[in-house]
Every structure is written in structure tokens, then in C-alpha cells.
Amino acid sequence: MGYLPEFDDDVFISYAHNDDIPRRELDEKEGWVSQLHANLEGLVRELLGQQPSLWRDCEISANDDFTRKITNRLAKTATLLSVITDNYLEREWCQRELAEFCRHAEAKIGLRVGEKRRIFKVLKRELRNQNLPEQFDGMERNEFYGEDPDDPKKSVHEYRLLLNKTQRYIYYLRMNDLAEDIADTLRVMRAAAPGATAAVPQGGTVFLAETSADQDFSRISIKKELQKRNIAVLPQGEIPFRGMQFEQRVNEYLQQSDLSIHIFGNRSGVVPEGSKKPHTWLQHELAMRRANDPNFLRVVWLPKDLEPADEDQREYIQHLQSDAAVQKGAEILEVGLEDLKTEVLHSLERIQRRKVEPSPQPRASDEPLKIYLICDSQDLESPSLLALDNFLFDQGFEPSKSLLGDNPEDARKLHEAFLQFSDAYLIYYGSAPVSWVQEKLLDFRKFGPKRQSKVLAKAIYIAAPLNDAKRAFRSHEAKVIQGGPDFNPASLADFVETLRKPEGR
């Protein structure tokens, strides 16, 4: 008996015996599956704090043996782990084990318990035959193969402990992820047993988009962090790559989610059947359709060490960084992995709080609208800026300027607070370069999703010193006001009128 008292075995390992032959040239004493079995048993025991029961058949040859031994065993097994190779797919015994387990599981508590599936899919090597049995559809892939980073030819093969340190490192990372998934599933099954109550996710739902192979470890790390905090993560398995199924399934997941995370790596990823775009681009573009939904946030992560492998990916990354339509309803983060996790958790917290908090109360008629007047330090003593500031105050508004002192961190915090709580933004484009203006517009996009209420007006006031480039300046994100060499109150008439409309006043 193992971890679950109502079952004889916690995990039944199904495999083809030809995949467990020791490699003599590597001096292996055990085959690949035998090593997997031993390593997995130790890790799951450590995670559960109790000895689990993992079982695999050593040699079954006759049909009566299968019926008597294997069928009875599968009927009393909690989960099935299939080591999938081309040998496995060609072996009749493996197909019978899969079918028998599913038959018994469906007859009792089902193949899914809560959010967990009772079958684990381990891919030992790349498959020639991609037509897997339907029981594996939509399941998470646990890939124990990949490019060898120490091989100049970048050959793809299964990870083996005796090859080199890099192979061992990757093998144990994948092994740890699989062990945690098995341990979590067994815990959920124990909690779902009669007399127990399973935990229900309370922290929201996240669509964690599939990514390219070079960012697999980052995606797994994010997923584990979210699940550890009782946050539901979609998809729960693989997304089908056949025809329109990919887009249909991604749309379904996005509609169920409070937030989506899109990780962009050096490569663009796989092109689904019937599409012309890689799956990383497609998932992001489908999520963009919810850009106007105030109850949804799209998080785009561009790792600090990002080096696009081709020109198409390079252009797409630049598109993410600069296109205003892309950044609407999104946070574009170019930070480290741990900072990304922190930002995602904060964003989810805000979304969950917004669901339960009452709607903001209407503004009192005598409360002045707050205008964030954004200026560069070079313009602080400008007569035109001072006149503009006085004009806004005389019109009954409450203008606030940036803090420009010796402490950049304090200045940044105040800047972010003004962006979050002001009613309108006005950029004073005087002595600063155009890159400074673009930086402020980028802040508008970044902090827009964090606001509780809509910004009533956004404008850029073009001030002296004037030149042809400034006179030609245009923007779809904010109204451009040509102020002239001296401040002219008439130039702000439309801006003021917008703020005096009923939604502003």
C-alpha cells in the first residue's frame, strides 16, 4: 500500500521493454526507464513525506498473464505514467494497459479529479509517429529529450545521467517537475476521497500562453509559482495544433481568465496546422481582442537577455515594444523572471480586489479635477510653464508637477502615483528631447490598466524652443497642442472643454 489507502499502487509505469536497455557504451547498469522509476520514487517520497507505491512490470509475455496480473493491478491503481516512444506506440501491451486503466478509472472516480488528470505523459525521445492515442489529447507533455547544448551538431536525443553535467541538470529539472505534478495529483485525490474536501482555487485564473522551447523552463517556473499560490492556470494540458482547434481552444481559455501571460523568447515557436503565424504570436493576438475589457489584463514578458534568432522575431519584438495598439490593455515587462512573478501576483491581487470592492463613488461637484503636469527639469523655471500652471489653477483644476529632486526612486514613485490617481495628463514638451516624450507616453500605456477609473484627457503641449520637428509632431495617444513661443490660454480651450464635460465634472 502506498500514499492512497484505497488503491494498491499510486503510479503504474507503462513502457516498452526495448526502451529500458542499458547503454553499454555509457557503462549504464540500469536502463532509462529503470532509472526514471528509481529517481521518481525518491522525489515523490520526499515531496509527500511518505513512501509512495510506484509499480512497473518487468516481463509479461503471455495473454493470460496480462489478464490475470496487469488488468487486476490497473483496476487498483491511482494514476498511470506512460513512457511514450515509437516502440511504445507499436507495442500492443502498452495500448492495452492504457485502455484498461481508462476503463477502470472512468467506471469509478473518473480520469480527472478536480483540476488534475490521472494520466502522465512522458516523452523519452522525439517521435516519428505523432498520432498519439486519443486518451493523451490535451495532456501536459513531460519531455525528457532536446538539443544537447554541448554538442556542436545540436543533436536531439533523450537526456541521460551519464552523458555530462548539463544533461544531468536538465534531466533532474524535468524529473522534479514531473514528481511535483504526481505528488500534487495524489494530494488532490486524497483530499477528494470520501470525508475530505479538496481545495478550490481562490486567487483567480491565468492563461499562461505556450512559448518557444528556449523559454520552457521560465514557463514551468511561473506555472509552479502560480499553482503554489492556489491560482488556476490554463491550459491544463496541451493545446491541439490541428486546424482551427488551436484558435478555438485558446479563445475558450482566454474567456475564462482574468489575466494572460505571454513569454517571448529568441525563437517564435511552432506554426499550427492551417496557420501562417507561429503559436506565440497567435496566442498574443487572440488575447489582444480583450484589450478593451476592464476585467482582463494581458502581460507580455520580454526577458532581459532576449536575442531574437531571426529577423521576423526581431521585428515582432520591436512591434511589441513600440506599437500603441499592442500596448493598450497590456503591461509590457522587460524585467527578470522573479520581478515578472511579483508583478503578475500584484496585478492579480488588484483584479481580485476590484471584483469585490464597491464601484468608485461619483465625484463631489466641488472637488477639483487633478491634472498631472509632466515636465522636464530644464523647464521648471520656464515662464510659459509657470503661466500654464497658473492658468489651470485659475480654471478650478488642481495641477501637480513631477518631483524633481536628488532621490530618483522617490521621484519615480511619485510619478507612478500621479499616473494612477490623476484625472488628466498634460505633457509639457519644451527643452526635453522627443525620446523623453515617448518615454512618458509609454508610461501612459503601462499604468493605464492599473487605474480604477478612466483618464479624462491626455495632451502634449508643444512649447519653446520650437523647431520643424516639434511643429510636425503627431500622436494618436494624446491630443497635440501647439502652444507657440509664449503661453496662449486659447490653445488649451479644447482640453479644458473636454474636462468640463459631464463625465469629467
Side-chain angles (χ1 to χ4, degrees):
M1 184 177 292
Y3 181 74
L4 298 176
E6 63 270 34
F7 295 96
D8 287 351
D9 295 306
D10 296 312
V11 183
F12 182 108
I13 300 176
S14 176
Y15 69 106
H17 291 281
N18 287 341
D19 292 321
D20 195 37
I21 299 172
R23 294 272 294 272
R24 292 181 179 178
E25 69 273 22
L26 296 178
D27 243 1
E28 286 184 336
K29 296 180 180 178
E30 292 183 304
W32 194 91
V33 178
S34 298
Q35 293 178 56
L36 177 85
H37 185 162
N39 294 326
L40 196 56
E41 189 167 30
L43 279 172
V44 174
R45 180 178 66 242
E46 182 180 329
L47 291 167
L48 293 176
Q50 182 178 332
Q51 179 66 45
S53 174
L54 279 70
W55 189 88
R56 63 188 170 90
D57 67 291
C58 294
E59 188 59 50
I60 302 296
S61 55
N63 191 61
D64 59 342
D65 284 341
F66 181 88
T67 302
R68 176 175 53 81
K69 188 174 183 180
I70 301 298
T71 302
N72 293 339
R73 197 119 202 169
L74 287 166
K76 301 174 183 178
T77 295
T79 65
L80 178 74
L81 186 153
S82 294
V83 181
I84 303 173
T85 63
D86 290 304
N87 290 329
Y88 174 94
L89 296 175
E90 293 166 0
R91 186 173 182 262
E92 180 187 355
W93 301 115
C94 296
Q95 308 307 307
R96 293 177 67 179
E97 288 168 358
L98 176 63
E100 282 295 310
F101 176 80
C102 291
R103 183 173 69 83
H104 288 294
E106 291 286 16
K108 294 181 180 179
I109 62 175
L111 281 168
R112 184 191 293 272
V113 179
E115 301 295 330
K116 294 293 186 179
R117 293 180 183 240
R118 294 173 59 192
I119 299 178
F120 303 99
K121 182 168 63 175
V122 171
L123 281 81
K124 178 175 180 280
R125 64 171 70 95
E126 200 166 20
L127 299 173
R128 295 190 304 274
N129 180 7
Q130 293 292 333
N131 295 318
L132 302 185
E134 63 180 8
Q135 293 95 328
F136 294 127
D137 286 353
M139 290 182 53
E140 194 81 35
R141 295 167 65 96
N142 294 280
E143 294 181 352
F144 279 76
Y145 69 87
E147 285 186 359
D148 185 348
D150 297 326
D151 182 358
K153 297 180 180 179
K154 300 298 181 186
S155 57
V156 176
H157 55 75
E158 71 267 18
Y159 301 127
R160 287 187 175 268
L161 295 174
L162 296 181
L163 284 177
N164 53 50
K165 289 183 179 180
T166 304
Q167 293 277 322
R168 285 197 296 275
Y169 174 73
I170 299 175
Y171 175 89
Y172 277 117
L173 283 177
R174 298 292 170 89
M175 176 66 67
N176 189 68
D177 292 332
L178 176 60
E180 288 190 349
D181 196 12
I182 291 173
D184 287 343
T185 300
L186 295 177
R187 291 191 194 101
V188 169
M189 292 183 69
R190 175 183 272 189
T197 303
V200 178
Q202 299 292 328
T205 302
V206 171
F207 173 68
L208 181 56
E210 299 283 355
T211 188
S212 53
D214 59 298
Q215 290 298 328
D216 273 348
F217 288 129
S218 295
R219 185 179 184 276
I220 291 169
S221 178
I222 294 167
K223 182 178 180 180
K224 287 163 61 177
E225 182 72 28
L226 295 173
Q227 290 177 331
K228 183 174 68 176
R229 296 173 182 271
N230 213 24
I231 295 166
V233 180
L234 300 174
Q236 294 166 2
E238 282 187 297
I239 304 174
F241 273 65
R242 304 186 188 99
M244 294 300 294
Q245 291 183 46
F246 182 83
E247 291 191 26
Q248 180 182 344
R249 194 66 61 84
V250 170
N251 274 323
E252 290 173 1
Y253 291 141
L254 287 168
Q255 291 304 315
Q256 299 173 48
S257 302
D258 302 300
L259 180 147
S260 66
I261 303 174
H262 305 267
I263 305 168
F264 288 92
N266 298 333
R267 302 175 183 177
S268 56
V270 181
V271 177
E273 181 181 302
S275 176
K276 295 181 179 179
K277 297 180 180 179
H279 71 314
T280 55
W281 299 9
L282 274 175
Q283 292 170 103
H284 177 253
E285 288 166 18
L286 291 170
M288 281 181 62
R289 296 177 183 176
R290 291 191 66 182
N292 293 320
D293 186 344
N295 298 315
F296 180 79
L297 177 65
R298 176 169 35 95
V299 175
V300 175
W301 184 44
L302 307 177
K304 285 184 174 181
D305 57 352
L306 188 61
E307 295 182 2
D310 56 68
E311 191 57 33
D312 287 344
Q313 183 72 345
R314 188 182 310 280
E315 289 180 3
Y316 194 80
I317 297 300
Q318 291 173 349
H319 168 66
L320 295 175
Q321 293 170 320
S322 60
D323 192 290
V326 167
Q327 297 177 4
K328 183 177 182 181
E331 288 192 21
I332 314 295
L333 301 177
E334 300 183 51
V335 297
L337 178 59
E338 295 307 314
D339 289 336
L340 168 68
K341 293 177 185 177
T342 300
E343 187 60 38
V344 166
L345 293 172
H346 287 168
S347 296
L348 276 171
E349 185 180 342
R350 286 193 297 271
I351 291 170
Q352 296 306 306
R353 194 186 311 123
R354 194 180 303 153
K355 288 181 179 179
V356 298
E357 286 180 348
S359 301
Q361 295 298 313
R363 178 187 301 278
S365 58
D366 58 346
E367 184 180 343
L369 292 175
K370 299 176 179 61
I371 300 175
Y372 182 24
L373 184 53
I374 307 170
C375 61
D376 185 69
S377 58
Q378 302 173 73
D379 297 308
L380 277 176
E381 302 301 323
S382 165
S384 180
L385 175 67
L386 296 174
L388 189 156
D389 191 9
N390 289 330
F391 170 78
L392 293 174
F393 184 83
D394 293 341
Q395 293 296 311
F397 303 119
E398 189 70 39
S400 299
K401 293 195 289 291
S402 314
L403 174 66
L404 302 166
D406 295 330
N407 191 325
E409 183 62 26
D410 289 345
R412 186 68 190 175
K413 287 180 180 178
L414 187 62
H415 172 65
E416 293 176 358
F418 281 146
L419 286 171
Q420 192 163 350
F421 299 111
S422 297
D423 300 298
Y425 306 149
L426 181 57
I427 297 175
Y428 184 87
Y429 182 11
S431 302
V434 68
S435 58
W436 175 87
V437 178
Q438 297 293 354
E439 181 184 329
K440 303 310 170 189
L441 291 174
L442 187 61
D443 285 342
F444 290 0
R445 301 169 209 156
K446 180 178 179 181
F447 287 91
K450 299 181 180 181
R451 291 180 55 90
Q452 295 289 327
S453 58
K454 180 182 177 183
V455 180
L456 301 179
K458 293 181 284 187
I460 303 168
Y461 183 86
I462 308 293
L466 299 175
N467 54 45
D468 290 342
K470 291 174 76 172
R471 292 188 182 93
F473 184 87
R474 295 186 299 174
S475 174
H476 287 298
E477 297 182 74
K479 179 180 177 60
V480 177
I481 301 171
Q482 291 291 343
D486 300 310
F487 175 68
N488 179 5
S491 63
L492 286 182
D494 289 345
F495 181 76
V496 170
E497 183 181 351
T498 298
L499 295 177
R500 297 224 188 272
K501 289 179 180 177
E503 63 266 28
R505 171 45 61 210

